[in-house]
């Protein structure tokens, strides 16, 4: 484990790159502020500047995200350019424009994940701030009809903590390949376009905890087959970490242990060319003229990765989305 102030080894290979096409969004989620403050779109010149580095670092998959990536006026051109490099593309979208663009999406992407946090029009509107539940469901169905492997991702929060089994039932009804759950991030002020603390409607309160516990218990009892088949991506034990995260947020327990090596195997490229080691920690520089490999291996970036590996970054202790890449 690197000592304080040390430099992490240079990155010579990456498994995954996440590319934010835009900071703008057409949802109004209580858990995110891109829709309030987002203005910038990535430009084609920046994408072109990325390509040699992606190839040199052996990146195979690019997760195209945002903001809402389908708002970028040139998203199709960018996707085509990435595909021309032999990259596999994975789209993360809120799904509002998916019904109209499913055919084009299917031409470029190998898989699609739709963020869908409500099992009904009422809970969707409460969390997403829009009366668009049916439009998103129509988009999911359209993508499935195009033959795309579609998954749903649910951010568990106050507005949906009691309806987890209903969300799995909805996933089956929509015909998707899988559904996954994670706790909402309520600890990081620099994530998801925020300019301050998350909305207080997001985090569970103490009197919400029995609701979540009962919902998780119903999920485990009623959907054992879906856990066994992998339709629910997490195990019941891993879903228990959602409850543990909220208990820690309320001061009722210590945060669950985090196992993550994402900064050693992946990068997040922001719409302005900034480079983050993960979703939750601000980077130490951006893409320069020398390209992605050089930008990731500046002393500042290597020192940041060393601090993360050494457990010196407080953001990591309360991470809800830790990722471990097998080595």
């Amino acid at each position: 484990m690197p000592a304080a102030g040390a430099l992490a080894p240079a990155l010579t290979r990456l498994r995954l790159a996440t590319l934010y096409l835009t900071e703008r969004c057409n949802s109004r989620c209580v858990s995110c502020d891109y829709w309030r403050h987002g203005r910038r779109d990535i430009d084609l010149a920046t994408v072109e500047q990325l390509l040699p580095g992606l190839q040199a670092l052996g990146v195979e998959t690019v997760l195209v995200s945002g903001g809402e990536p389908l708002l970028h006026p040139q998203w199709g051109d960018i996707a085509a350019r990435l595909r021309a490099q032999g990259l596999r593309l994975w789209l993360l979208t809120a799904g509002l424009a998916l019904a109209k663009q499913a055919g084009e999406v299917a031409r470029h992407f190998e898989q699609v994940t739709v963020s869908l946090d409500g099992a009904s029009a009422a809970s969707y509107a409460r969390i997403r701030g829009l009366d668009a539940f049916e439009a998103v469901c129509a988009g999911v169905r359209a993508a499935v009809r195009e033959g795309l492997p579609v998954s749903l991702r649910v951010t568990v929060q106050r507005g949906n903590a009691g309806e987890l089994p209903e969300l799995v039932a909805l996933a089956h009804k929509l015909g998707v390949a899988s559904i996954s759950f994670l706790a909402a991030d309520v600890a990081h002020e620099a994530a998801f376009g925020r300019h301050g603390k998350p909305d207080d409607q997001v985090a569970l309160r103490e009197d919400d905890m029995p609701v979540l516990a009962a919902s998780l218990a119903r999920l485990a009892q009623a959907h054992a087959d879906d856990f066994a088949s992998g339709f629910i991506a997490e195990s019941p034990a891993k879903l228990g970490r959602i409850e543990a995260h909220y208990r820690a947020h309320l001061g009722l327990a210590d945060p669950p242990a985090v196992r993550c090596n994402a900064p050693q195997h992946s990068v997040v490229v922001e719409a302005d060319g900034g480079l983050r080691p993960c979703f939750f920690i601000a980077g130490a520089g951006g893409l320069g003229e020398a390209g992605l490999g050089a930008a990731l291996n500046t002393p500042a970036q290597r020192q940041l990765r060393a601090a993360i590996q050494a457990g010196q970054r407080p953001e990591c202790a309360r991470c809800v989305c830790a990722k471990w890449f097998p080595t």
Side-chain angles (χ1 to χ4, degrees):
M1 182 177 292
L7 298 183
L11 286 178
T12 59
R13 185 170 181 81
L14 289 180
R15 308 275 285 279
L16 174 72
T18 297
L19 180 60
Y20 289 173
L21 294 196
T22 180
E23 296 174 343
R24 298 178 296 120
C25 192
N26 49 4
S27 292
R28 299 290 183 269
C29 303
V30 294
S31 59
C32 178
D33 280 347
Y34 277 124
W35 62 274
R36 299 179 192 273
H37 309 298
R39 299 290 184 272
R40 292 173 292 197
D41 293 345
I42 201 167
D43 56 49
L44 287 175
T46 300
V47 175
E48 290 289 343
Q49 195 174 353
L50 274 172
L51 294 176
L54 294 174
Q55 186 173 39
L57 290 165
V59 174
E60 295 180 357
T61 301
V62 175
L63 172 61
V64 176
S65 182
E68 171 49 58
L70 297 182
L71 286 181
H72 194 296
Q74 297 173 297
W75 74 262
D77 295 333
I78 292 171
R81 190 68 186 89
L82 293 167
R83 283 292 299 275
Q85 292 290 111
L87 294 161
R88 294 175 54 84
L89 300 189
W90 171 15
L91 176 66
L92 177 58
T93 175
L96 289 167
L98 194 52
K100 293 181 180 179
Q101 303 195 63
E104 181 75 1
V105 168
R107 282 191 284 276
H108 297 295
F109 292 90
E110 277 77 21
Q111 64 186 105
V112 175
T113 297
V114 178
S115 295
L116 181 57
D117 296 330
S120 68
S123 59
Y124 178 93
R126 186 163 60 245
I127 293 169
R128 294 277 171 167
L130 298 171
D131 180 15
F133 176 74
E134 295 298 337
V136 173
C137 289
V140 172
R141 291 188 183 100
V144 170
R145 285 196 301 270
E146 292 289 342
L148 280 164
V150 180
S151 60
L152 301 186
R153 188 184 70 177
V154 178
T155 303
V156 179
Q157 53 198 278
R158 286 196 76 215
N160 62 14
E163 60 179 32
L164 306 189
E166 290 75 17
L167 281 155
V168 174
L170 175 63
H172 279 297
K173 184 178 178 180
L174 294 176
V176 301
S178 64
I179 184 170
S180 64
F181 298 88
L182 74 162
D185 171 62
V186 293
H188 302 104
E189 296 185 14
F192 305 110
R194 293 175 183 147
H195 289 194
K197 294 182 178 179
D199 191 302
D200 65 3
Q201 299 177 65
V202 179
L204 272 66
R205 300 169 189 174
E206 195 162 349
D207 57 358
D208 298 314
M209 295 306 296
V211 175
L212 175 62
S215 189
L216 287 168
R218 287 195 297 125
L219 189 63
Q221 182 176 18
H223 291 279
D225 290 347
D226 288 325
F227 282 111
S229 69
F231 184 79
I232 299 174
E234 298 82 13
S235 66
K238 189 170 183 180
L239 286 186
R241 290 175 61 87
I242 295 174
E243 185 176 2
H245 275 293
Y246 282 118
R247 287 181 61 82
H249 178 72
L250 291 165
L252 302 175
D254 292 330
V258 172
R259 184 173 186 245
C260 180
N261 63 359
Q264 286 77 58
H265 297 280
S266 62
V267 64
V268 176
V269 183
E270 297 183 282
D272 64 355
L275 301 176
R276 285 178 173 262
C278 69
F279 293 110
F280 304 110
I281 299 177
L287 187 67
E289 293 184 2
L292 181 61
L296 287 173
N297 288 309
T298 63
Q301 294 280 22
R302 292 174 63 189
Q303 188 170 3
L304 174 59
R305 292 197 298 275
I308 294 169
Q309 287 179 264
Q312 297 164 356
R313 295 294 303 218
E315 299 96 330
C316 297
R318 295 185 179 273
C319 182
V320 299
C321 194
K323 184 170 181 60
W324 183 263
F325 290 87
T327 56

